[in-house]
Amino acid sequence: MQQSRRQFVRTLFVATQAVALGSLLTPRNLFAADAKAGSLNFLLLGDWGRNGEKDQMAVATQMGIAAQDMDAKFIISVGDNFYEDGVATVDDPQWQSSFEKVYTAPSLQVPWWVVLGNHDYHGNCDAQIDYSKTSKRWNMPARYFTRTEKISHHHSVDFFYLDTTPMSKLDSDETEFHDKVKSQDIPKQVAWLESALAASTAPWKIVIAHHPVYTGGQHGDTPYIIKHILPLMEKYGVQAYFNGHDHDLQHLAAGKVNFFCSGGGSKPRVPIKTTEHTKFGLGTSGFIAAALSPDKLDVRLIDDQGKLLYTTSVPRVAS
């Protein structure tokens, strides 16, 4: 009973904190003064492709405002790009109805770096890779890949983009889905990640994926990732892991790794629960805005009305 009461109080505090912050700040009066020279600014969005439904459009509008005021250099999609069953081809109508005609703000016409989610696996994953060849902003060079971005003249960050659906669906009983997952060589991807992390000399290392490590959301933790990916992140000094899958906004931490869920791109799920790793969590539509400087990563969780729900800073070297 005592533990349940503590959990209730903690949840109430998080919700109260969210309302208090949200009533004071919006992206427009936050980022205009805060997009400092020498930082790499970008947005993160997940679980979004619903043919321009109300929640998706609201998030897209606020993303456009934030991206303009912080001068976002690129956008990262953490998967589930098209509901319910991905896309069939590079000419699928959803490219227009869920992407091109939704994220229309001039500030969003920057590179989008994209990973696959489980709903994307219901369709043609290769079509999402191939769309990179015809789109001016859509970038998915492979199912998993790395990219280096410059923070300043002397500082950089290495991003490691993963394909986690095969890691989360090992026991899927959906025949077609099962075959698509089993066709992927998971140990090969894990070995690739370790090799890439070991070779990285960048002071910042950030992992991008669809599925969570830890979460207070509906889907729960991902055991395979906890067992095989988390130890690599700890070993090679990854500071942050961004994911979607749960339709909410969260910040969790374990050891020296911070976990951020940006799965509020269209249809939120409530409620979510707090866990031993939870720093913040709220079931709402929204996105994440990040500003990376040589010494810290500033992360802001923003809802579909433009309210700042939560902000935190991740140091380059954990104390």
Side-chain angles (χ1 to χ4, degrees), residues 114-315:
V114 188
V115 297
L116 296 165
N118 52 292
H119 280 273
D120 300 311
Y121 257 80
H122 284 234
N124 182 352
C125 295
D126 289 337
Q128 295 201 36
I129 296 173
D130 292 341
Y131 195 69
S132 304
K133 301 172 185 176
T134 60
S135 172
K136 293 182 179 180
R137 54 176 169 164
W138 183 272
N139 294 278
M140 187 190 296
R143 294 181 188 238
Y144 50 91
F145 58 96
T146 61
R147 179 166 177 81
T148 300
E149 300 280 357
K150 296 291 290 184
I151 301 172
S152 65
H153 183 69
H154 298 291
H155 298 86
S156 63
V157 52
D158 282 344
F159 287 93
F160 304 84
Y161 293 82
L162 303 184
D163 178 17
T164 54
T165 296
M167 303 176 191
S168 71
K169 292 290 186 178
L170 293 170
D171 299 317
S172 173
D173 57 0
E174 303 172 62
T175 303
E176 182 181 1
F177 196 73
H178 178 84
D179 292 342
K180 290 181 179 180
V181 168
K182 287 297 184 181
S183 69
Q184 300 304 306
D185 189 337
I186 304 173
K188 180 180 179 181
Q189 182 180 176
V190 174
W192 164 86
L193 176 62
E194 178 161 26
S195 177
L197 286 169
S200 173
T201 58
W204 282 96
K205 299 176 181 64
I206 295 174
V207 174
I208 306 297
H210 181 63
H211 294 82
V213 181
Y214 298 114
T215 180
Q218 179 188 35
H219 293 294
D221 302 343
T222 311
Y224 188 95
I225 295 177
I226 293 172
K227 182 177 180 180
H228 296 280
I229 302 299
L230 181 56
L232 296 180
M233 294 194 290
E234 293 172 337
K235 178 179 179 180
Y236 293 103
V238 170
Q239 292 97 343
Y241 177 101
F242 289 91
N243 64 270
H245 200 42
D246 285 316
H247 296 190
D248 49 48
L249 300 174
Q250 297 182 66
H251 174 209
L252 306 97
K256 296 181 179 180
V257 185
N258 285 265
F259 312 101
F260 296 96
C261 179
S262 185
S266 57
K267 187 176 182 180
R269 292 195 185 106
V270 291
I272 63 174
K273 62 182 179 181
T274 57
T275 74
E276 62 179 308
H277 304 296
T278 301
K279 302 295 183 182
F280 173 87
L282 194 65
T284 182
S285 298
F287 62 99
I288 286 178
L292 181 59
S293 62
D295 295 322
K296 65 176 182 173
L297 170 66
D298 290 325
V299 180
R300 296 165 175 85
L301 279 59
I302 302 167
D303 76 3
D304 59 351
Q305 300 304 305
K307 293 180 181 179
L308 175 65
L309 302 176
Y310 175 81
T311 182
T312 192
S313 292
V314 176

Side-chain angles (χ1 to χ4, degrees), residues 59-133:
V59 173
T61 297
Q62 297 304 325
M63 286 176 60
I65 294 171
Q68 177 180 334
D69 288 338
M70 70 187 297
D71 190 24
K73 300 303 182 185
F74 56 90
I75 296 164
I76 293 174
S77 172
V78 292
D80 274 5
N81 308 312
F82 301 98
Y83 287 95
E84 295 287 330
D85 298 311
V87 292
T89 68
V90 293
D91 299 315
D92 193 300
Q94 291 180 93
W95 287 110
Q96 295 298 318
S97 62
S98 289
F99 179 58
E100 301 290 1
K101 294 183 178 179
V102 175
Y103 305 99
T104 57
S107 60
L108 302 182
Q109 309 308 304
V110 293
W112 286 54
W113 295 95
V114 188
V115 297
L116 296 165
N118 52 292
H119 280 273
D120 300 311
Y121 257 80
H122 284 234
N124 182 352
C125 295
D126 289 337
Q128 295 201 36
I129 296 173
D130 292 341
Y131 195 69
S132 304
K133 301 172 185 176

